[in-house]
Amino acid sequence: GSIPDLWPELSTIRCPVLLLTGALDQKYTAIAEKMLPLLPAAIHRILPAAGHMAHIESPGAAADAIRTFLREFA
């Protein structure tokens, strides 16, 4: 199947966005870095000891990043 190109729509997302990636997942970390300047209210947190499933591989660090994000932006 195919999906539509939604990159042009990123600038219309006005709510805060947390981009959370694992440092060992170079592909998705690079994608998040490309997305970051297109999202008006986004931050990117990279979990150092995690790969593609960062929230499972490093749950404590992921939870800390999410809690911090919610405190700052909620």
Side-chain angles (χ1 to χ4, degrees):
S2 65
I3 58 172
D5 177 13
L6 297 176
W7 282 85
E9 304 301 320
L10 291 177
S11 65
T12 67
I13 299 173
R14 299 289 175 216
C15 64
V17 174
L18 171 62
L19 302 169
L20 188 63
T21 61
L24 303 175
D25 185 351
Q26 295 175 353
K27 177 181 178 180
Y28 282 91
T29 296
I31 290 170
E33 288 296 315
K34 283 183 169 180
M35 292 173 69
L36 191 58
L38 302 175
L39 291 161
I43 61 169
H44 181 201
R45 294 293 177 253
I46 302 171
L47 303 183
H52 186 66
M53 297 191 315
H55 62 294
I56 293 172
E57 296 169 29
S58 194
D64 288 344
I66 294 166
R67 275 192 289 271
T68 300
F69 173 76
L70 291 173
R71 269 195 304 272
E72 293 175 3
F73 293 97

Short mmCIF file of all heavy atoms in Angstrom, two decimals:
data_model
loop_
_atom_site.label_atom_id
_atom_site.label_comp_id
_atom_site.label_asym_id
_atom_site.label_seq_id
_atom_site.Cartn_x
_atom_site.Cartn_y
_atom_site.Cartn_z
N GLY A 1 0.81 -1.18 0.00
CA GLY A 1 0.00 0.00 0.00
C GLY A 1 0.85 1.24 0.00
O GLY A 1 2.08 1.21 0.12
N SER A 2 0.20 2.34 -0.11
CA SER A 2 0.90 3.62 -0.06
C SER A 2 0.18 4.54 0.90
O SER A 2 -1.01 4.38 1.17
CB SER A 2 0.98 4.25 -1.45
OG SER A 2 -0.30 4.58 -1.91
N ILE A 3 0.94 5.48 1.41
CA ILE A 3 0.36 6.46 2.32
C ILE A 3 0.63 7.85 1.74
O ILE A 3 1.63 8.06 1.05
CB ILE A 3 0.92 6.34 3.74
CG1 ILE A 3 2.45 6.49 3.74
CG2 ILE A 3 0.53 5.00 4.36
CD1 ILE A 3 3.05 6.57 5.12
N PRO A 4 -0.22 8.81 2.05
CA PRO A 4 0.00 10.16 1.52
C PRO A 4 1.21 10.82 2.20
O PRO A 4 1.55 10.49 3.34
CB PRO A 4 -1.29 10.90 1.85
CG PRO A 4 -1.88 10.15 2.98
CD PRO A 4 -1.45 8.72 2.82
N ASP A 5 1.82 11.75 1.52
CA ASP A 5 2.93 12.52 2.07
C ASP A 5 2.36 13.57 3.02
O ASP A 5 1.70 14.52 2.59
CB ASP A 5 3.70 13.19 0.93
CG ASP A 5 4.83 14.08 1.44
OD1 ASP A 5 5.18 13.99 2.63
OD2 ASP A 5 5.35 14.85 0.63
N LEU A 6 2.60 13.40 4.30
CA LEU A 6 2.06 14.33 5.29
C LEU A 6 3.10 15.34 5.80
O LEU A 6 2.78 16.16 6.65
CB LEU A 6 1.46 13.55 6.47
CG LEU A 6 0.28 12.66 6.10
CD1 LEU A 6 -0.19 11.86 7.31
CD2 LEU A 6 -0.87 13.49 5.54
N TRP A 7 4.31 15.30 5.27
CA TRP A 7 5.32 16.25 5.69
C TRP A 7 4.85 17.70 5.56
O TRP A 7 5.10 18.50 6.46
CB TRP A 7 6.63 16.02 4.93
CG TRP A 7 7.40 14.87 5.46
CD1 TRP A 7 7.24 13.56 5.15
CD2 TRP A 7 8.43 14.91 6.45
NE1 TRP A 7 8.11 12.78 5.85
CE2 TRP A 7 8.86 13.59 6.67
CE3 TRP A 7 9.03 15.94 7.15
CZ2 TRP A 7 9.87 13.28 7.57
CZ3 TRP A 7 10.03 15.63 8.05
CH2 TRP A 7 10.44 14.31 8.26
N PRO A 8 4.16 18.08 4.49
CA PRO A 8 3.70 19.46 4.37
C PRO A 8 2.69 19.86 5.47
O PRO A 8 2.49 21.05 5.72
CB PRO A 8 3.05 19.52 2.98
CG PRO A 8 3.66 18.41 2.22
CD PRO A 8 3.91 17.33 3.23
N GLU A 9 2.08 18.89 6.10
CA GLU A 9 1.07 19.17 7.12
C GLU A 9 1.68 19.38 8.51
O GLU A 9 0.99 19.84 9.43
CB GLU A 9 0.05 18.03 7.19
CG GLU A 9 -0.64 17.74 5.87
CD GLU A 9 -1.39 18.93 5.32
OE1 GLU A 9 -2.02 19.66 6.10
OE2 GLU A 9 -1.33 19.14 4.09
N LEU A 10 2.94 19.04 8.71
CA LEU A 10 3.55 19.14 10.04
C LEU A 10 3.44 20.54 10.62
O LEU A 10 3.21 20.71 11.82
CB LEU A 10 5.01 18.68 10.00
CG LEU A 10 5.23 17.20 9.77
CD1 LEU A 10 6.72 16.89 9.68
CD2 LEU A 10 4.57 16.35 10.83
N SER A 11 3.58 21.54 9.79
CA SER A 11 3.53 22.92 10.29
C SER A 11 2.16 23.33 10.80
O SER A 11 2.02 24.36 11.47
CB SER A 11 3.99 23.90 9.20
OG SER A 11 3.08 23.87 8.12
N THR A 12 1.14 22.55 10.51
CA THR A 12 -0.21 22.87 10.99
C THR A 12 -0.50 22.30 12.37
O THR A 12 -1.53 22.61 12.95
CB THR A 12 -1.28 22.36 9.99
OG1 THR A 12 -1.27 20.93 9.98
CG2 THR A 12 -1.03 22.90 8.59
N ILE A 13 0.39 21.47 12.89
CA ILE A 13 0.19 20.87 14.22
C ILE A 13 0.60 21.91 15.26
O ILE A 13 1.76 22.29 15.38
CB ILE A 13 1.02 19.58 14.37
CG1 ILE A 13 0.56 18.56 13.34
CG2 ILE A 13 0.88 19.02 15.80
CD1 ILE A 13 1.42 17.31 13.28
N ARG A 14 -0.35 22.39 16.01
CA ARG A 14 -0.12 23.47 16.97
C ARG A 14 0.09 23.00 18.39
O ARG A 14 0.58 23.76 19.23
CB ARG A 14 -1.28 24.47 16.93
CG ARG A 14 -1.47 25.11 15.59
CD ARG A 14 -0.35 26.08 15.31
NE ARG A 14 -0.48 26.60 13.95
CZ ARG A 14 0.53 26.87 13.18
NH1 ARG A 14 1.75 26.65 13.59
NH2 ARG A 14 0.36 27.33 11.96
N CYS A 15 -0.27 21.78 18.70
CA CYS A 15 -0.10 21.30 20.07
C CYS A 15 1.36 20.88 20.29
O CYS A 15 2.08 20.60 19.33
CB CYS A 15 -1.03 20.12 20.35
SG CYS A 15 -0.70 18.67 19.34
N PRO A 16 1.81 20.86 21.53
CA PRO A 16 3.17 20.42 21.82
C PRO A 16 3.39 18.97 21.40
O PRO A 16 2.51 18.13 21.56
CB PRO A 16 3.29 20.57 23.33
CG PRO A 16 2.24 21.55 23.70
CD PRO A 16 1.11 21.33 22.73
N VAL A 17 4.56 18.70 20.85
CA VAL A 17 4.91 17.37 20.36
C VAL A 17 6.25 16.96 20.96
O VAL A 17 7.20 17.73 20.94
CB VAL A 17 5.01 17.36 18.82
CG1 VAL A 17 5.50 16.01 18.32
CG2 VAL A 17 3.68 17.73 18.19
N LEU A 18 6.29 15.75 21.49
CA LEU A 18 7.55 15.17 21.96
C LEU A 18 8.00 14.13 20.95
O LEU A 18 7.30 13.15 20.70
CB LEU A 18 7.36 14.51 23.33
CG LEU A 18 8.54 13.68 23.85
CD1 LEU A 18 9.78 14.55 24.04
CD2 LEU A 18 8.16 12.97 25.14
N LEU A 19 9.15 14.35 20.35
CA LEU A 19 9.77 13.37 19.47
C LEU A 19 10.78 12.62 20.32
O LEU A 19 11.73 13.21 20.85
CB LEU A 19 10.46 14.08 18.30
CG LEU A 19 9.56 14.96 17.44
CD1 LEU A 19 10.41 15.80 16.49
CD2 LEU A 19 8.57 14.13 16.67
N LEU A 20 10.56 11.35 20.50
CA LEU A 20 11.38 10.53 21.39
C LEU A 20 12.01 9.40 20.58
O LEU A 20 11.29 8.58 20.00
CB LEU A 20 10.49 9.96 22.50
CG LEU A 20 11.14 9.23 23.65
CD1 LEU A 20 12.06 10.17 24.42
CD2 LEU A 20 10.08 8.67 24.58
N THR A 21 13.33 9.40 20.51
CA THR A 21 14.02 8.37 19.74
C THR A 21 15.19 7.82 20.53
O THR A 21 15.68 8.44 21.47
CB THR A 21 14.55 8.93 18.39
OG1 THR A 21 15.48 9.98 18.64
CG2 THR A 21 13.42 9.43 17.51
N GLY A 22 15.64 6.65 20.11
CA GLY A 22 16.82 6.04 20.70
C GLY A 22 18.06 6.42 19.90
O GLY A 22 18.03 6.45 18.66
N ALA A 23 19.14 6.70 20.57
CA ALA A 23 20.37 7.10 19.91
C ALA A 23 20.90 6.01 18.97
O ALA A 23 21.57 6.32 17.99
CB ALA A 23 21.43 7.46 20.95
N LEU A 24 20.59 4.76 19.28
CA LEU A 24 21.08 3.66 18.46
C LEU A 24 20.24 3.46 17.20
O LEU A 24 20.61 2.68 16.33
CB LEU A 24 21.12 2.37 19.28
CG LEU A 24 21.97 2.44 20.56
CD1 LEU A 24 21.85 1.15 21.35
CD2 LEU A 24 23.41 2.77 20.23
N ASP A 25 19.13 4.17 17.11
CA ASP A 25 18.27 4.10 15.93
C ASP A 25 18.54 5.34 15.08
O ASP A 25 17.84 6.35 15.15
CB ASP A 25 16.80 4.04 16.35
CG ASP A 25 15.85 3.85 15.18
OD1 ASP A 25 16.30 3.92 14.01
OD2 ASP A 25 14.66 3.62 15.43
N GLN A 26 19.59 5.25 14.30
CA GLN A 26 20.04 6.41 13.53
C GLN A 26 19.00 6.88 12.52
O GLN A 26 18.83 8.08 12.30
CB GLN A 26 21.34 6.09 12.83
CG GLN A 26 22.48 5.85 13.79
CD GLN A 26 23.76 5.41 13.10
OE1 GLN A 26 23.78 5.17 11.91
NE2 GLN A 26 24.83 5.31 13.88
N LYS A 27 18.27 5.95 11.91
CA LYS A 27 17.27 6.32 10.90
C LYS A 27 16.18 7.21 11.49
O LYS A 27 15.89 8.29 10.97
CB LYS A 27 16.66 5.06 10.28
CG LYS A 27 15.57 5.36 9.28
CD LYS A 27 14.97 4.10 8.70
CE LYS A 27 13.84 4.41 7.74
NZ LYS A 27 13.26 3.19 7.17
N TYR A 28 15.55 6.76 12.59
CA TYR A 28 14.44 7.53 13.13
C TYR A 28 14.89 8.75 13.91
O TYR A 28 14.16 9.74 14.00
CB TYR A 28 13.51 6.62 13.95
CG TYR A 28 12.63 5.83 13.01
CD1 TYR A 28 13.02 4.56 12.55
CD2 TYR A 28 11.45 6.36 12.52
CE1 TYR A 28 12.23 3.86 11.66
CE2 TYR A 28 10.66 5.65 11.62
CZ TYR A 28 11.06 4.41 11.20
OH TYR A 28 10.28 3.72 10.31
N THR A 29 16.09 8.73 14.43
CA THR A 29 16.63 9.94 15.05
C THR A 29 16.84 11.01 13.98
O THR A 29 16.51 12.18 14.19
CB THR A 29 17.93 9.64 15.81
OG1 THR A 29 17.62 8.73 16.90
CG2 THR A 29 18.55 10.89 16.38
N ALA A 30 17.34 10.61 12.83
CA ALA A 30 17.52 11.56 11.72
C ALA A 30 16.17 12.09 11.23
O ALA A 30 16.04 13.29 10.93
CB ALA A 30 18.29 10.90 10.58
N ILE A 31 15.18 11.23 11.15
CA ILE A 31 13.84 11.67 10.73
C ILE A 31 13.28 12.67 11.73
O ILE A 31 12.72 13.70 11.35
CB ILE A 31 12.90 10.46 10.56
CG1 ILE A 31 13.33 9.65 9.33
CG2 ILE A 31 11.44 10.91 10.43
CD1 ILE A 31 12.62 8.30 9.20
N ALA A 32 13.43 12.39 13.03
CA ALA A 32 12.94 13.32 14.05
C ALA A 32 13.64 14.67 13.94
O ALA A 32 13.02 15.72 14.09
CB ALA A 32 13.13 12.72 15.44
N GLU A 33 14.94 14.65 13.65
CA GLU A 33 15.68 15.91 13.49
C GLU A 33 15.17 16.70 12.29
O GLU A 33 15.16 17.93 12.32
CB GLU A 33 17.18 15.63 13.36
CG GLU A 33 17.83 15.18 14.65
CD GLU A 33 17.80 16.25 15.73
OE1 GLU A 33 18.12 17.42 15.43
OE2 GLU A 33 17.45 15.92 16.88
N LYS A 34 14.75 16.00 11.24
CA LYS A 34 14.17 16.69 10.07
C LYS A 34 12.78 17.25 10.39
O LYS A 34 12.38 18.29 9.87
CB LYS A 34 14.05 15.73 8.90
CG LYS A 34 15.33 15.46 8.17
CD LYS A 34 15.04 14.54 6.99
CE LYS A 34 16.20 14.42 6.07
NZ LYS A 34 15.91 13.52 4.93
N MET A 35 12.03 16.54 11.24
CA MET A 35 10.69 16.97 11.60
C MET A 35 10.72 18.18 12.54
O MET A 35 9.84 19.05 12.47
CB MET A 35 9.94 15.83 12.31
CG MET A 35 9.59 14.66 11.44
SD MET A 35 8.90 13.30 12.40
CE MET A 35 7.31 13.99 12.87
N LEU A 36 11.70 18.23 13.40
CA LEU A 36 11.75 19.23 14.47
C LEU A 36 11.54 20.67 14.00
O LEU A 36 10.69 21.37 14.55
CB LEU A 36 13.06 19.09 15.25
CG LEU A 36 13.19 19.86 16.54
CD1 LEU A 36 12.08 19.48 17.52
CD2 LEU A 36 14.55 19.61 17.16
N PRO A 37 12.25 21.14 12.99
CA PRO A 37 12.03 22.54 12.58
C PRO A 37 10.69 22.78 11.89
O PRO A 37 10.27 23.92 11.73
CB PRO A 37 13.19 22.84 11.64
CG PRO A 37 13.68 21.51 11.18
CD PRO A 37 13.35 20.53 12.25
N LEU A 38 10.01 21.71 11.49
CA LEU A 38 8.73 21.86 10.80
C LEU A 38 7.55 21.91 11.77
O LEU A 38 6.46 22.33 11.41
CB LEU A 38 8.53 20.71 9.81
CG LEU A 38 9.62 20.56 8.74
CD1 LEU A 38 9.36 19.31 7.91
CD2 LEU A 38 9.69 21.79 7.88
N LEU A 39 7.77 21.46 12.99
CA LEU A 39 6.72 21.44 14.01
C LEU A 39 6.86 22.69 14.88
O LEU A 39 7.91 22.91 15.48
CB LEU A 39 6.85 20.18 14.88
CG LEU A 39 6.53 18.88 14.17
CD1 LEU A 39 7.12 17.69 14.92
CD2 LEU A 39 5.03 18.72 14.02
N PRO A 40 5.81 23.50 14.96
CA PRO A 40 5.90 24.76 15.69
C PRO A 40 6.21 24.64 17.18
O PRO A 40 6.84 25.51 17.75
CB PRO A 40 4.52 25.40 15.49
CG PRO A 40 3.94 24.73 14.31
CD PRO A 40 4.53 23.36 14.26
N ALA A 41 5.78 23.55 17.81
CA ALA A 41 5.95 23.42 19.27
C ALA A 41 6.45 22.01 19.60
O ALA A 41 5.76 21.23 20.25
CB ALA A 41 4.64 23.71 19.98
N ALA A 42 7.65 21.70 19.16
CA ALA A 42 8.17 20.35 19.38
C ALA A 42 9.54 20.37 20.03
O ALA A 42 10.29 21.34 19.89
CB ALA A 42 8.25 19.60 18.05
N ILE A 43 9.82 19.30 20.76
CA ILE A 43 11.16 19.06 21.26
C ILE A 43 11.52 17.63 20.92
O ILE A 43 10.64 16.77 20.73
CB ILE A 43 11.29 19.31 22.79
CG1 ILE A 43 10.37 18.39 23.58
CG2 ILE A 43 11.02 20.76 23.13
CD1 ILE A 43 10.66 18.41 25.07
N HIS A 44 12.81 17.37 20.82
CA HIS A 44 13.29 16.03 20.50
C HIS A 44 14.21 15.58 21.62
O HIS A 44 15.18 16.24 21.95
CB HIS A 44 14.06 16.07 19.17
CG HIS A 44 14.59 14.73 18.74
ND1 HIS A 44 15.62 14.61 17.86
CD2 HIS A 44 14.23 13.46 19.07
CE1 HIS A 44 15.87 13.33 17.64
NE2 HIS A 44 15.04 12.62 18.38
N ARG A 45 13.87 14.46 22.21
CA ARG A 45 14.70 13.86 23.24
C ARG A 45 15.24 12.55 22.69
O ARG A 45 14.49 11.72 22.16
CB ARG A 45 13.92 13.60 24.53
CG ARG A 45 13.46 14.86 25.22
CD ARG A 45 14.65 15.64 25.76
NE ARG A 45 14.24 16.89 26.35
CZ ARG A 45 14.43 18.09 25.81
NH1 ARG A 45 15.02 18.20 24.65
NH2 ARG A 45 14.05 19.17 26.42
N ILE A 46 16.54 12.37 22.83
CA ILE A 46 17.21 11.17 22.36
C ILE A 46 17.66 10.37 23.57
O ILE A 46 18.40 10.88 24.42
CB ILE A 46 18.41 11.52 21.47
CG1 ILE A 46 17.97 12.38 20.28
CG2 ILE A 46 19.12 10.25 21.00
CD1 ILE A 46 19.11 12.96 19.47
N LEU A 47 17.21 9.13 23.65
CA LEU A 47 17.58 8.27 24.77
C LEU A 47 18.89 7.56 24.40
O LEU A 47 18.94 6.80 23.43
CB LEU A 47 16.48 7.26 25.06
CG LEU A 47 15.10 7.87 25.35
CD1 LEU A 47 14.10 6.79 25.70
CD2 LEU A 47 15.18 8.90 26.46
N PRO A 48 19.96 7.79 25.17
CA PRO A 48 21.28 7.34 24.77
C PRO A 48 21.47 5.83 24.69
O PRO A 48 22.19 5.35 23.83
CB PRO A 48 22.21 7.94 25.83
CG PRO A 48 21.35 8.40 26.94
CD PRO A 48 19.97 8.56 26.41
N ALA A 49 20.85 5.06 25.52
CA ALA A 49 21.10 3.61 25.55
C ALA A 49 19.97 2.83 24.90
O ALA A 49 19.67 1.71 25.32
CB ALA A 49 21.32 3.16 26.98
N ALA A 50 19.32 3.40 23.91
CA ALA A 50 18.15 2.75 23.32
C ALA A 50 18.22 2.78 21.80
O ALA A 50 18.87 3.63 21.21
CB ALA A 50 16.88 3.44 23.80
N GLY A 51 17.50 1.84 21.21
CA GLY A 51 17.42 1.75 19.76
C GLY A 51 16.04 2.08 19.27
O GLY A 51 15.41 3.05 19.73
N HIS A 52 15.50 1.24 18.38
CA HIS A 52 14.23 1.52 17.72
C HIS A 52 13.03 1.52 18.68
O HIS A 52 12.10 2.29 18.50
CB HIS A 52 14.00 0.51 16.60
CG HIS A 52 12.79 0.80 15.78
ND1 HIS A 52 12.69 1.93 14.97
CD2 HIS A 52 11.62 0.14 15.63
CE1 HIS A 52 11.52 1.93 14.37
NE2 HIS A 52 10.85 0.87 14.75
N MET A 53 13.05 0.67 19.68
CA MET A 53 11.95 0.63 20.66
C MET A 53 12.41 1.28 21.96
O MET A 53 12.48 0.65 23.01
CB MET A 53 11.50 -0.82 20.88
CG MET A 53 10.94 -1.43 19.61
SD MET A 53 10.10 -3.01 19.81
CE MET A 53 11.17 -3.93 20.87
N ALA A 54 12.71 2.56 21.87
CA ALA A 54 13.33 3.30 22.97
C ALA A 54 12.52 3.21 24.26
O ALA A 54 13.09 3.06 25.35
CB ALA A 54 13.53 4.75 22.57
N HIS A 55 11.21 3.27 24.16
CA HIS A 55 10.36 3.25 25.36
C HIS A 55 10.40 1.89 26.05
O HIS A 55 10.17 1.81 27.26
CB HIS A 55 8.93 3.63 25.00
CG HIS A 55 8.28 2.69 24.04
ND1 HIS A 55 8.72 2.55 22.74
CD2 HIS A 55 7.24 1.84 24.19
CE1 HIS A 55 7.97 1.64 22.13
NE2 HIS A 55 7.08 1.21 22.98
N ILE A 56 10.71 0.83 25.33
CA ILE A 56 10.80 -0.51 25.92
C ILE A 56 12.24 -0.79 26.35
O ILE A 56 12.47 -1.38 27.40
CB ILE A 56 10.30 -1.57 24.91
CG1 ILE A 56 8.80 -1.37 24.69
CG2 ILE A 56 10.60 -2.99 25.40
CD1 ILE A 56 8.22 -2.23 23.59
N GLU A 57 13.20 -0.36 25.56
CA GLU A 57 14.60 -0.63 25.84
C GLU A 57 15.14 0.21 26.99
O GLU A 57 16.07 -0.20 27.68
CB GLU A 57 15.44 -0.37 24.59
CG GLU A 57 15.09 -1.31 23.44
CD GLU A 57 15.73 -0.90 22.13
OE1 GLU A 57 16.82 -0.28 22.16
OE2 GLU A 57 15.15 -1.20 21.08
N SER A 58 14.57 1.38 27.18
CA SER A 58 15.02 2.29 28.24
C SER A 58 13.79 2.94 28.88
O SER A 58 13.59 4.16 28.78
CB SER A 58 15.95 3.34 27.63
OG SER A 58 16.64 4.03 28.62
N PRO A 59 12.96 2.13 29.55
CA PRO A 59 11.68 2.65 30.05
C PRO A 59 11.81 3.76 31.09
O PRO A 59 11.02 4.69 31.09
CB PRO A 59 10.99 1.42 30.64
CG PRO A 59 12.07 0.44 30.90
CD PRO A 59 13.14 0.72 29.88
N GLY A 60 12.81 3.68 31.93
CA GLY A 60 12.98 4.74 32.94
C GLY A 60 13.31 6.08 32.31
O GLY A 60 12.72 7.11 32.66
N ALA A 61 14.23 6.07 31.37
CA ALA A 61 14.61 7.31 30.69
C ALA A 61 13.45 7.84 29.85
O ALA A 61 13.22 9.05 29.77
CB ALA A 61 15.84 7.08 29.81
N ALA A 62 12.70 6.92 29.22
CA ALA A 62 11.54 7.34 28.43
C ALA A 62 10.49 7.99 29.33
O ALA A 62 9.94 9.05 29.01
CB ALA A 62 10.94 6.16 27.68
N ALA A 63 10.22 7.36 30.47
CA ALA A 63 9.24 7.91 31.41
C ALA A 63 9.68 9.28 31.92
O ALA A 63 8.87 10.20 32.02
CB ALA A 63 9.02 6.94 32.57
N ASP A 64 10.97 9.42 32.22
CA ASP A 64 11.48 10.72 32.67
C ASP A 64 11.30 11.79 31.60
O ASP A 64 10.89 12.91 31.90
CB ASP A 64 12.96 10.62 33.04
CG ASP A 64 13.20 9.85 34.32
OD1 ASP A 64 12.24 9.63 35.10
OD2 ASP A 64 14.37 9.44 34.54
N ALA A 65 11.59 11.43 30.35
CA ALA A 65 11.44 12.39 29.25
C ALA A 65 9.98 12.79 29.08
O ALA A 65 9.68 13.97 28.86
CB ALA A 65 12.00 11.80 27.96
N ILE A 66 9.09 11.83 29.19
CA ILE A 66 7.65 12.12 29.05
C ILE A 66 7.16 12.98 30.20
O ILE A 66 6.44 13.96 30.00
CB ILE A 66 6.85 10.82 28.92
CG1 ILE A 66 7.22 10.11 27.60
CG2 ILE A 66 5.36 11.09 29.01
CD1 ILE A 66 6.74 8.67 27.52
N ARG A 67 7.57 12.65 31.44
CA ARG A 67 7.16 13.45 32.60
C ARG A 67 7.65 14.90 32.47
O ARG A 67 6.91 15.83 32.73
CB ARG A 67 7.68 12.83 33.89
CG ARG A 67 6.79 11.76 34.46
CD ARG A 67 7.20 11.40 35.89
NE ARG A 67 8.46 10.66 35.92
CZ ARG A 67 8.55 9.34 35.83
NH1 ARG A 67 7.48 8.61 35.69
NH2 ARG A 67 9.73 8.76 35.89
N THR A 68 8.90 15.06 32.07
CA THR A 68 9.46 16.40 31.91
C THR A 68 8.69 17.16 30.83
O THR A 68 8.35 18.34 31.02
CB THR A 68 10.96 16.32 31.54
OG1 THR A 68 11.65 15.66 32.60
CG2 THR A 68 11.55 17.70 31.30
N PHE A 69 8.42 16.51 29.72
CA PHE A 69 7.66 17.13 28.64
C PHE A 69 6.29 17.58 29.14
O PHE A 69 5.86 18.71 28.89
CB PHE A 69 7.50 16.13 27.50
CG PHE A 69 6.59 16.59 26.40
CD1 PHE A 69 7.01 17.54 25.48
CD2 PHE A 69 5.33 16.07 26.27
CE1 PHE A 69 6.17 17.97 24.46
CE2 PHE A 69 4.48 16.48 25.25
CZ PHE A 69 4.92 17.45 24.35
N LEU A 70 5.59 16.71 29.87
CA LEU A 70 4.26 17.06 30.37
C LEU A 70 4.30 18.21 31.37
O LEU A 70 3.43 19.08 31.37
CB LEU A 70 3.60 15.83 30.99
CG LEU A 70 3.21 14.74 30.00
CD1 LEU A 70 2.71 13.49 30.73
CD2 LEU A 70 2.18 15.23 29.00
N ARG A 71 5.33 18.23 32.22
CA ARG A 71 5.45 19.34 33.17
C ARG A 71 5.69 20.67 32.45
O ARG A 71 5.16 21.70 32.84
CB ARG A 71 6.62 19.09 34.13
CG ARG A 71 6.26 18.36 35.40
CD ARG A 71 7.35 18.46 36.45
NE ARG A 71 8.64 17.99 36.00
CZ ARG A 71 9.06 16.73 36.07
NH1 ARG A 71 8.27 15.80 36.55
NH2 ARG A 71 10.26 16.40 35.65
N GLU A 72 6.50 20.64 31.40
CA GLU A 72 6.86 21.87 30.69
C GLU A 72 5.80 22.35 29.73
O GLU A 72 5.67 23.54 29.49
CB GLU A 72 8.18 21.67 29.95
CG GLU A 72 9.37 21.48 30.88
CD GLU A 72 10.66 21.17 30.15
OE1 GLU A 72 10.66 21.16 28.89
OE2 GLU A 72 11.67 20.94 30.83
N PHE A 73 5.02 21.42 29.16
CA PHE A 73 4.12 21.80 28.08
C PHE A 73 2.64 21.55 28.36
O PHE A 73 1.80 21.97 27.57
CB PHE A 73 4.50 21.08 26.78
CG PHE A 73 5.82 21.53 26.24
CD1 PHE A 73 6.97 20.80 26.50
CD2 PHE A 73 5.93 22.70 25.51
CE1 PHE A 73 8.20 21.22 26.01
CE2 PHE A 73 7.14 23.13 25.02
CZ PHE A 73 8.28 22.39 25.27
N ALA A 74 2.32 20.86 29.42
CA ALA A 74 0.91 20.56 29.70
C ALA A 74 0.23 21.70 30.44
O ALA A 74 0.82 22.53 31.01
CB ALA A 74 0.77 19.27 30.47
#
